[in-house]
């Protein structure tokens, strides 16, 4: 039988349906041509122009100009490729066939399930509505060998689910706790049950039961469901929540989908601890007779330097988002006594470190008629009291242990170290500054060096008496060394600085000199300066970053995990 010539032109051919393998419409590659499986074919190839120059003269003068018969090695290679292609295609055909059968079988099951209708048995005791963490024996009894369990009604979302032949185990979540629920019998065969997806909102009724020996579930109990209703079904498939927020997914993708990530165990645990911490701060300040105030977020003065201000137009005037509420807190001292606030602060630092945010929660306090030593004692007492309060609550303590198994309440007293001594310590331990040189007096100790020192020492540090040149204009100079201020940073292992504070200048003339030294026009600060003209007193205060405090407590890698929706350079969504 005569052979058919199949033409391949690597320069002008096409591997497409429009190509026919003729001299007028050649293919582009030998593999594509071979995969067309033309019987008794002779494959003729014309190389590209550059390859043609280097090729040997055409021994078969009967062939069209530039074409050569395909080499045996090339034909063997494409023959093997075709064999592999056929095997893969056959395997895929078998998989498709099985999937088609499975889909058909599944569709039969679905159709049958749609015909199963469930109704609530009205002869059963009326259910008691409970939150998933409720376990008061006076309200709820568990079914045991000699007693019936309380029939309850619960609502929540499916946190986990596991399907067996005739049973479905699901863990329900309502923001207060978790509960294992069991669907059995016809309940487990309904369409809603067999298509149940994570995050579906449900209402379930049933009897509370003790767990069998050796079994484990939240609060060591489970709900034997006798009726359920779907409230809001969650999507599945490619859009299932487990695909949208994979456990070890890309960090930016997880932040884009933080509204879904918040439903996860770690993110929700952090927010629950945060709630407990804020409550503990409020209680602690009440115990210290500090009154809560709410200063403005829109301001026309700066506290920590103009480089970190977010500026905006305020009805034709220049204004800023506040960096700190400190100045306003100071104005409350004469009438309210010691005061505090828990408010947002904003810093326009172009920083992407794991401890910086552009918007953060600032816990600030100002104390009247105190000394610098009083300020340090107060700070230590407040932080330790807050830790004691959150650890005293079993639920919060368990969450902290789960998040940060090695956490232990800090021992008191905190180490007190002067800035000058810290510089000497860094030099002794050969920890260099940002320029790679040994630290010297006057350096603004960089974050990395500060954290390394804190981690080596391994305990909370009150780092005090910073040079005047690297601290804010309002900080009081030390009486025993005018080069430095009565200032403090509280450093915690693993995080670094979480608190910054100082005594405030309370002498009018000294404050006016500070304005001049820093090149600050005093006129916009008239309301602040007046505090030094109408019964001035020694006073001081501090600001504590709640996200940094939470990151230290929960062992978080970054403060971005410590807030609801983090805002930092380049991110202002969702």
């Amino acid at each position: 039988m005569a052979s058919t010539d199949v033409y391949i032109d690597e320069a002008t051919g096409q591997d497409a349906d429009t190509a026919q393998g003729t001299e007028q419409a050649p293919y582009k590659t030998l593999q594509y041509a071979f995969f067309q499986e033309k019987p008794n074919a002779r494959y003729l190839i014309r190389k590209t122009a550059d390859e043609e120059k280097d090729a040997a003269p055409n021994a078969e003068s009967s062939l069209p100009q530039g074409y050569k018969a395909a080499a045996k090695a090339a034909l063997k290679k494409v023959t093997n490729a075709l064999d592999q292609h056929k095997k893969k295609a056959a395997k895929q055909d078998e998989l498709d066939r099985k999937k088609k059968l499975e889909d058909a079988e599944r569709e039969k099951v679905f159709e049958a399930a749609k015909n199963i209708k469930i109704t609530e048995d009205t002869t059963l005791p009326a259910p008691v509505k409970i939150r998933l963490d409720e376990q008061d024996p006076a309200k709820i009894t568990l079914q045991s060998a000699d007693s019936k369990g309380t029939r309850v009604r619960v609502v929540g979302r499916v946190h986990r689910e596991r399907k067996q032949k005739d049973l479905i185990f699901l863990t329900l979540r309502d923001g207060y706790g978790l509960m294992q629920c069991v669907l059995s019998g016809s309940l487990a065969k309904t369409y809603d049950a067999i298509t149940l997806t994570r995050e579906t909102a449900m209402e379930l009724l049933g009897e509370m039961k003790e767990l069998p020996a050796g079994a484990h579930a939240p609060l060591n109990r489970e709900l034997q469901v006798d009726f359920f209703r779907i409230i809001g079904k969650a999507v599945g498939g490619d859009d299932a929540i487990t695909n949208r927020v994979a456990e070890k997914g890309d960090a930016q993708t997880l932040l884009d989908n933080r509204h879904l990530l918040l439903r996860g165990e770690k993110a929700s645990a952090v927010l629950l601890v945060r709630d407990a911490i804020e409550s503990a701060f409020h209680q602690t300040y009440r115990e210290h007779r500090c009154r809560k105030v709410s200063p403005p977020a829109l301001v026309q003065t700066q506290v920590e330097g103009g480089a970190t201000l977010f500026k905006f137009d305020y009805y034709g005037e220049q204004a800023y988002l506040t960096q700190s509420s400190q100045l306003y807190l100071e104005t409350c001292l004469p009438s309210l006594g010691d005061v505090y606030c828990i408010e947002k602060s904003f810093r326009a630092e172009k920083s992407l470190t794991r401890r910086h945010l552009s918007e953060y929660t600032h816990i600030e306090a100002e104390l009247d008629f105190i000394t610098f030593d009083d300020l340090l004692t107060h700070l230590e007492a407040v932080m330790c009291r807050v830790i004691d309060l959150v650890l005293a609550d079993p639920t919060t303590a368990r969450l902290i242990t789960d998040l940060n198994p090695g956490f232990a309440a800090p021992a008191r007293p905190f180490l007190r170290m002067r800035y000058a001594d810290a510089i000497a310590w860094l030099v002794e331990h050969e920890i260099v500054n940002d320029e790679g040189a040994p630290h010297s007096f006057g350096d603004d100790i960089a974050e990395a060096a500060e954290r390394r020192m804190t981690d080596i020492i391994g305990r909370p540090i009150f780092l005090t008496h910073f040079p005047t040149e690297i601290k804010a204009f309002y900080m009081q100079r030390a009486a025993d060394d005018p080069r430095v201020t009565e200032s403090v940073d509280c450093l915690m292992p693993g995080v670094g600085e979480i608190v910054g504070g100082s005594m405030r200048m309370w002498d009018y003339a000294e404050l006016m000199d500070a304005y001049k030294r820093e090149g600050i026009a005093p006129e916009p600060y008239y309301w602040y300066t007046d505090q030094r003209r109408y019964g001035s007193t020694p006073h001081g205060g501090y600001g504590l970053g709640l996200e940094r405090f939470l990151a230290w407590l929960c062992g978080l890698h970054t403060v971005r995990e410590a807030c609801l929706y983090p805002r930092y350079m380049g991110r202002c969504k969702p």
Side-chain angles (χ1 to χ4, degrees):
M1 184 180 292
S3 64
T4 301
D5 287 342
V6 176
Y7 290 86
I8 299 105
D9 189 325
E10 295 183 354
T12 64
Q14 292 185 336
D15 287 346
D17 292 341
T18 54
Q20 300 172 358
T22 63
E23 188 175 356
Q24 293 74 28
Y27 296 122
K28 185 175 183 64
T29 64
L30 176 59
Q31 179 167 308
Y32 185 86
F34 200 77
F35 277 26
Q36 308 312 304
E37 296 191 80
K38 297 192 176 185
N40 302 312
R42 181 174 67 156
Y43 295 92
L44 306 178
I45 302 176
R46 179 156 62 187
K47 301 289 186 181
T48 61
D50 289 342
E51 292 176 308
E52 186 64 29
K53 290 179 184 177
D54 299 332
N58 191 348
E60 299 182 58
S61 57
S62 62
L63 295 180
Q65 179 63 35
Y67 279 96
K68 289 184 179 181
K72 290 182 179 180
L75 289 171
K76 183 176 180 181
K77 183 177 180 180
V78 293
T79 298
N80 291 337
L82 179 60
D83 288 343
Q84 291 297 319
H85 174 74
K86 286 181 176 180
K87 288 178 182 178
K88 287 182 180 179
K91 186 176 181 180
Q92 187 60 48
D93 287 344
E94 179 63 17
L95 291 173
D96 291 343
R97 186 186 68 81
K98 288 183 177 180
K99 185 177 184 303
K100 191 174 181 179
L101 291 174
E102 290 171 358
D103 289 346
E105 187 62 32
R106 188 180 297 109
E107 192 58 36
K108 288 181 183 178
V109 173
F110 287 167
E111 287 304 315
K114 289 176 183 178
N115 294 323
I116 299 175
K117 306 298 180 184
I118 59 172
T119 57
E120 182 182 356
D121 186 348
T122 56
T123 65
L124 294 172
V128 177
K129 184 178 180 181
I130 65 168
R131 296 283 194 185
L132 299 185
D133 64 338
E134 289 186 46
Q135 51 184 331
D136 183 359
K139 185 178 180 181
I140 306 168
T141 57
L142 303 182
Q143 180 187 9
S144 61
D146 55 358
S147 67
K148 294 288 288 180
T150 302
R151 188 166 183 258
V152 302
R153 172 180 176 266
V154 295
V155 291
R157 291 173 177 82
V158 177
H159 190 60
R160 289 186 292 270
E161 47 85 23
R162 176 167 52 91
K163 299 182 178 75
Q164 295 184 355
K165 185 176 181 181
D166 296 314
L167 293 173
I168 295 178
F169 292 88
L170 63 91
T171 301
L172 203 66
R173 183 190 74 245
D174 70 350
Y176 296 89
L178 302 171
M179 180 180 288
Q180 179 169 290
C181 307
V182 184
L183 307 182
S184 59
S186 60
L187 295 178
K189 298 176 182 178
T190 62
Y191 182 78
D192 283 337
I194 64 177
T195 60
L196 194 62
T197 51
R198 289 193 185 186
E199 294 305 317
T200 290
M202 301 180 69
E203 173 190 44
L204 301 100
L205 284 68
E207 188 177 351
M208 298 296 293
K209 187 176 180 180
E210 288 181 348
L211 283 179
H216 300 281
L219 300 179
N220 295 312
R221 64 186 184 181
E222 66 183 14
L223 181 68
Q224 291 286 344
V225 180
D226 58 54
F227 178 74
F228 75 90
R229 181 171 64 89
I230 300 296
I231 297 173
K233 191 164 188 174
V235 294
D238 292 340
D239 285 331
I241 192 168
T242 49
N243 292 327
R244 292 283 300 278
V245 286
E247 184 178 350
K248 295 184 179 179
D250 171 71
Q252 295 306 314
T253 300
L254 292 179
L255 284 172
D256 288 343
N257 290 287
R258 188 156 173 81
H259 59 293
L260 298 177
L261 187 67
L262 292 174
R263 303 183 183 209
E265 292 183 11
K266 180 180 180 181
S268 59
V270 170
L271 294 180
L272 289 169
V273 174
R274 179 181 172 126
D275 171 61
I277 288 174
E278 287 199 45
S279 295
F281 269 107
H282 285 302
Q283 179 177 334
T284 299
Y285 283 126
R286 290 296 180 195
E287 293 172 357
H288 282 77
R289 300 196 67 190
C290 293
R291 292 191 169 94
K292 183 181 183 300
V293 295
S294 297
L298 311 181
V299 301
Q300 290 186 308
T301 52
Q302 65 187 49
V303 181
E304 298 291 346
T308 67
L309 287 165
F310 283 109
K311 300 178 183 180
F312 65 95
D313 179 82
Y314 187 74
Y315 303 109
E317 296 183 82
Q318 183 169 276
Y320 316 103
L321 294 178
T322 184
Q323 304 159 309
S324 166
S325 297
Q326 173 210 318
L327 305 188
Y328 293 96
L329 290 178
E330 288 187 53
T331 67
C332 298
L333 294 177
S335 56
L336 301 178
D338 297 343
V339 290
Y340 79 100
C341 69
I342 300 180
E343 302 286 346
K344 295 290 187 181
S345 284
F346 304 86
R347 297 282 177 91
E349 291 171 287
K350 293 183 178 180
S351 176
L352 290 173
T353 75
R354 57 194 179 103
R355 70 174 194 171
H356 280 95
L357 291 167
S358 297
E359 176 190 66
Y360 67 99
T361 300
H362 215 173
I363 300 176
E364 299 183 86
E366 289 295 318
L367 312 173
D368 205 5
F369 296 101
I370 62 167
T371 65
F372 186 51
D373 190 63
D374 292 334
L375 178 64
L376 300 184
T377 301
H378 164 90
L379 253 178
E380 184 177 282
V382 166
M383 287 190 285
C384 289
R385 177 58 175 157
V386 167
I387 295 300
D388 289 344
L389 286 172
V390 296
L391 293 181
D393 178 75
T395 301
T396 308
R398 176 181 55 79
L399 291 172
I400 293 171
T401 299
D402 291 343
L403 291 164
N404 188 10
F407 180 79
R412 300 170 67 177
F414 293 179
L415 176 63
R416 299 189 182 190
M417 176 186 285
R418 281 188 170 236
Y419 165 90
D421 295 329
I423 292 294
W425 190 97
L426 291 168
V427 171
E428 179 184 348
H429 289 79
E430 299 181 347
I431 299 174
V432 296
N433 62 22
D434 282 346
E435 285 71 42
H439 281 87
S440 60
F441 191 92
D443 284 351
D444 192 352
I445 301 174
E447 175 188 341
E450 185 179 80
R451 287 183 60 174
R452 190 174 173 194
M453 178 180 73
T454 309
D455 290 347
I456 291 172
I457 293 174
R459 57 182 291 199
I461 302 171
F462 279 145
L463 189 58
T464 68
H465 296 90
F466 289 86
T468 303
E469 290 73 21
I470 62 174
K471 282 299 181 180
F473 72 91
Y474 52 76
M475 293 189 179
Q476 180 68 45
R477 294 187 185 225
D480 62 345
D481 186 352
R483 298 177 307 158
V484 300
T485 54
E486 290 187 322
S487 52
V488 58
D489 286 354
C490 182
L491 314 179
M492 289 294 185
V495 178
E497 180 192 346
I498 63 172
V499 179
S502 76
M503 296 297 290
R504 316 309 192 188
M505 282 185 184
W506 60 288
D507 179 76
Y508 175 81
E510 190 175 359
L511 181 59
M512 296 304 291
D513 286 343
Y515 288 139
K516 185 176 181 180
R517 183 183 71 245
E518 298 296 327
I520 298 172
E523 289 78 14
Y525 294 85
Y526 72 92
W527 50 273
Y528 181 68
T529 308
D530 273 353
Q531 305 305 311
R532 280 74 185 164
R533 300 176 64 223
Y534 293 88
S536 190
T537 60
H539 63 283
Y542 56 88
L544 179 148
L546 178 59
E547 286 81 11
R548 291 188 185 182
F549 189 87
L550 188 59
W552 164 65
L553 182 62
C554 295
L556 305 178
H557 175 69
T558 169
V559 292
R560 297 173 190 176
E561 299 178 72
C563 50
L564 193 65
Y565 290 100
R567 298 292 185 251
Y568 56 91
M569 187 177 68
R571 175 164 292 277
C572 196
K573 68 175 184 180

